[in-house]
Amino acid sequence: MDRVLAFQKGLSTWAQWADRNINSTRTTIFFQSLSPTHYNPIEWKNSMSRNCYGETEPMSGFNYTSNNLAEGRMIQVIRGVLNSMRTPAYFSDITRLSELRKDAHPSIYSGDLTPQQRANPDHSSDCSHWCLPGLPDTWNQLFYATLFF
């Protein structure tokens, strides 16, 4: 099954459940968007690397947009499903902000890798999780601001 279609079906099922079961006078729904990956260095015009390994600086500029079409389609699904809900949901779109931080992944420093895996970062780098300080802290600060301001 196409993963975007599967995501749309799952999110729509959740939205229907929320509309039936959430009392919006007592409960607020917060929905955080997708955390992007950085497996493709072509996205940031680096022909020397093969993924996020060794990246030490964020993207420069404000006009960077990932070439990952599935991520873009999934954001459209989120917006469409949340807009169709009767129960309001606050949408925290952290995807674009996070796309700029190709340097914020743990890379090969994510834990129990063998020496062979560490020696071959092209195939063992973790470019999908965000375990380094900074970016997840920013998500939390945005959430805190949404809660109280």
Side-chain angles (χ1 to χ4, degrees):
M1 175 178 230
D2 176 72
R3 73 179 181 152
V4 176
L5 179 59
F7 181 70
Q8 190 271 333
K9 287 182 179 289
L11 195 59
S12 294
T13 300
W14 166 81
Q16 291 168 6
W17 175 89
D19 282 340
R20 280 193 311 272
N21 295 289
I22 299 295
N23 178 347
S24 61
T25 63
R26 296 181 44 202
T27 304
T28 303
I29 297 174
F30 296 90
F31 193 92
Q32 181 173 292
S33 68
L34 305 166
S35 168
T37 61
H38 290 100
Y39 282 112
N40 188 354
I42 293 170
E43 292 177 0
W44 58 90
K45 298 172 182 56
N46 183 346
S47 60
M48 301 305 289
S49 67
R50 299 213 18 199
N51 53 33
C52 70
Y53 174 70
E55 294 298 328
T56 58
E57 294 183 12
M59 313 263 186
S60 61
F62 295 101
N63 295 324
Y64 168 78
T65 303
S66 171
N67 293 327
N68 188 327
L69 296 176
E71 283 178 5
R73 289 180 19 225
M74 290 171 96
I75 293 294
Q76 290 175 337
V77 165
I78 293 169
R79 289 185 188 283
V81 170
L82 293 181
N83 287 336
S84 71
M85 293 174 66
R86 289 188 320 270
T87 308
Y90 290 92
F91 180 43
S92 179
D93 188 353
I94 56 98
T95 304
R96 187 97 187 245
L97 164 80
S98 304
E99 285 176 340
L100 297 171
R101 292 299 311 273
K102 65 184 173 17
D103 62 313
H105 298 284
S107 187
I108 63 167
Y109 309 106
S110 60
D112 298 328
L113 294 181
T114 65
Q116 295 81 12
Q117 288 172 314
R118 287 187 190 276
N120 191 3
D122 287 347
H123 292 89
S124 55
S125 286
D126 183 348
C127 299
S128 62
H129 291 93
W130 306 89
C131 300
L132 301 182
L135 187 60
D137 302 316
T138 301
W139 301 340
N140 290 334
Q141 288 174 350
L142 292 169
F143 178 59
Y144 181 82
T146 304
L147 280 174
F148 295 104
F149 300 103

